[in-house]
Amino acid sequence: MKFTTVSVLAVAAIASESHAFTPSHQTTSARSAVRLAMSTAEAETPTEDRKYTKKEKRLQYMKTDTFHRRGFKEVRENVENTMKEQFESVLVDELKTNDFVIKKDGVTVHLAKDFGFCWGVERSIALAYEAVEHFPGKTVHITNELIHNPEVNDKLHDMDVQFIEKVGEGQKDFSKVGDGDIVILPAFGASFEEMSLFNEKNVDIVDTTCPWVSKVWNTVDQHQRKGLTSVIHGKYAHEETVATVSFCEDYICVKDFKEAEMVADYIMNGGDKEAFLKYFEKAISEGFDPDTMLDKVGLANQTTMYKKETRAIGQMMQKAMMKKFGPVDAKDHYLEF
């Protein structure tokens, strides 16, 4: 059962007033403190005319006792050992200590200096493995592949994690998620709609979303607050971008520099609206109007895209706004993450 801050404080007020042996000056002080606390809580309580952003709602979900983002310490050592056995290698260690090069029997082996998982992926794997160990006997689901790595996903299958079935484009079958089950959100994150669904269910959520992905969500939230359309450098069907656009109001996805040029050209010169909407029909928000929604834009990206290309797209958008609105006013029409 969940209690609001106001209801808890109200109980505290009743308790302080009902004690027959409390000195009168202490009772007055307690009442004043409770009244102050209750007025503060009422100010923070959602009102009907207050529209909360998706970010604010997500943060509310994260504050519940059934939402887990920090892992489970009691099983951490076991999981660390499991990951060492699965991912570490004597050969790789030797390569790293020899400037990423080894020569043996006339053969030279080079290792990429960026070989291995990034910190966000390592964190995601650890959280998922910890969740399975922390909830023995529970049915554990995952909303998508944890990461794009067959070995990791096969390991989760071996651990009896149930991958939620996809049914058609962008649709999933959540009917098998039952009361008391565990749901893992992958490194790419989950959509706002999925989070809302699980918040209503009697399930525990283990959120392994990469913090860099969450940072992008904060960026598009800023776009929303400033009345900007989010231009997202990413593939519209990729799990991460699907999650990101779910936190947007108005958006358009561009997968590469060529598509970004199309958007920049429309900003500066307009064009065939029908053809533009047809081309981007799967990569835009509902009701998208390029004649009005491209006057003010903000840039965000899918974290797996090349940062160099994202920056080039940002410079292009900035130049388009300078050409259309002039160098002085351009800053009011473009925001970079």
Side-chain angles (χ1 to χ4, degrees):
M1 184 179 294
K2 299 177 181 178
F3 297 95
T4 65
T5 306
V6 174
S7 62
V8 172
L9 290 169
V11 172
I14 294 170
S16 66
E17 292 176 358
S18 62
H19 199 303
F21 300 100
T22 302
S24 59
H25 70 278
Q26 291 184 7
T27 302
T28 303
S29 176
R31 287 176 180 170
S32 299
V34 169
R35 279 198 296 271
L36 176 61
M38 289 184 70
S39 64
T40 302
E42 288 167 357
E44 296 174 351
T45 302
T47 57
E48 291 184 2
D49 58 350
R50 164 78 156 89
K51 184 179 179 181
Y52 280 74
T53 67
K54 293 177 180 179
K55 176 186 175 180
E56 288 172 326
K57 291 180 180 179
R58 176 172 65 91
L59 292 176
Q60 289 174 0
Y61 302 156
M62 291 166 59
K63 290 177 182 179
T64 62
D65 294 336
T66 54
F67 199 101
H68 312 279
R69 294 189 74 244
R70 299 181 182 277
F72 308 97
K73 291 182 179 179
E74 80 281 0
V75 298
R76 188 153 299 156
E77 185 176 350
N78 289 342
V79 168
E80 287 175 353
N81 291 332
T82 297
M83 291 180 66
K84 285 180 181 179
E85 292 175 6
Q86 185 176 4
F87 302 120
E88 291 190 3
S89 159
V90 174
L91 177 59
V92 170
D93 289 343
E94 186 178 351
L95 280 160
K96 287 181 177 180
T97 56
N98 286 279
D99 199 28
F100 301 90
V101 179
I102 288 180
K103 295 182 179 180
K104 288 186 177 180
D105 300 326
V107 176
T108 302
V109 178
H110 295 266
L111 179 70
K113 291 185 178 180
D114 292 325
F115 174 84
F117 297 132
C118 66
W119 169 78
V121 166
E122 285 189 356
R123 173 184 174 276
S124 181
I125 296 170
L127 287 173
Y129 288 7
E130 285 180 16
V132 176
E133 288 205 29
H134 178 75
F135 294 103
K138 293 273 192 175
T139 301
V140 181
H141 307 268
I142 188 167
T143 61
N144 223 314
E145 291 185 341
L146 185 70
I147 59 172
H148 290 322
N149 183 294
E151 183 178 343
V152 171
N153 294 310
D154 287 346
K155 177 70 173 179
L156 291 173
H157 277 294
D158 293 341
M159 298 168 81
D160 205 27
V161 173
Q162 306 298 306
F163 284 65
I164 290 175
E165 182 182 1
K166 294 182 180 179
V167 285
E169 186 175 350
Q171 302 297 317
K172 298 175 186 176
D173 180 9
F174 296 109
S175 63
K176 294 181 181 179
V177 179
D179 280 357
D181 287 354
I182 314 302
V183 178
I184 298 174
L185 308 183
F188 305 112
S191 71
F192 174 76
E193 291 75 20
E194 290 178 2
M195 289 187 186
S196 298
L197 172 68
F198 295 133
N199 185 64
E200 296 299 320
K201 286 178 171 286
N202 181 29
V203 298
D204 277 82
I205 299 170
V206 179
D207 182 14
T208 80
T209 304
C210 172
W212 297 113
V213 174
S214 300
K215 187 177 180 181
V216 175
W217 297 349
N218 291 337
T219 296
V220 297
D221 177 71
Q222 286 297 313
H223 296 168
Q224 182 179 329
R225 291 173 184 271
K226 294 178 183 292
L228 306 175
T229 294
S230 295
V231 176
I232 299 171
H233 176 212
K235 301 174 182 178
Y236 69 83
H238 189 279
E239 302 96 310
E240 181 185 327
T241 298
V242 169
T244 295
V245 301
S246 76
F247 290 98
C248 298
E249 291 296 331
D250 303 319
Y251 69 85
I252 182 169
C253 300
V254 294
K255 68 180 179 181
D256 52 27
F257 197 81
K258 178 183 176 181
E259 289 190 350
E261 281 184 315
M262 294 172 64
V263 174
D265 183 67
Y266 201 99
I267 289 172
M268 294 183 291
N269 307 309
D272 187 333
K273 180 177 177 178
E274 185 177 347
F276 185 91
L277 290 175
K278 179 63 178 176
Y279 182 89
F280 287 104
E281 62 181 341
K282 293 184 179 181
I284 51 178
S285 51
E286 185 177 354
F288 190 87
D289 185 350
D291 291 337
T292 60
M293 294 179 178
L294 292 177
D295 278 351
K296 292 184 177 183
V297 302
L299 182 65
N301 72 321
Q302 178 183 310
T303 61
T304 57
M305 306 301 278
Y306 287 118
K307 186 177 291 185
K308 183 178 180 180
E309 186 176 32
T310 301
R311 294 198 181 282
I313 289 172
Q315 290 175 351
M316 184 197 307
M317 294 297 161
Q318 191 173 33
K319 289 178 180 178
M321 291 304 181
M322 290 177 68
K323 183 174 181 180
K324 183 171 184 179
F325 298 104
V328 175
D329 295 329
K331 65 180 183 300
D332 296 324
H333 294 267
Y334 176 72
L335 179 68
E336 194 162 307
F337 56 92

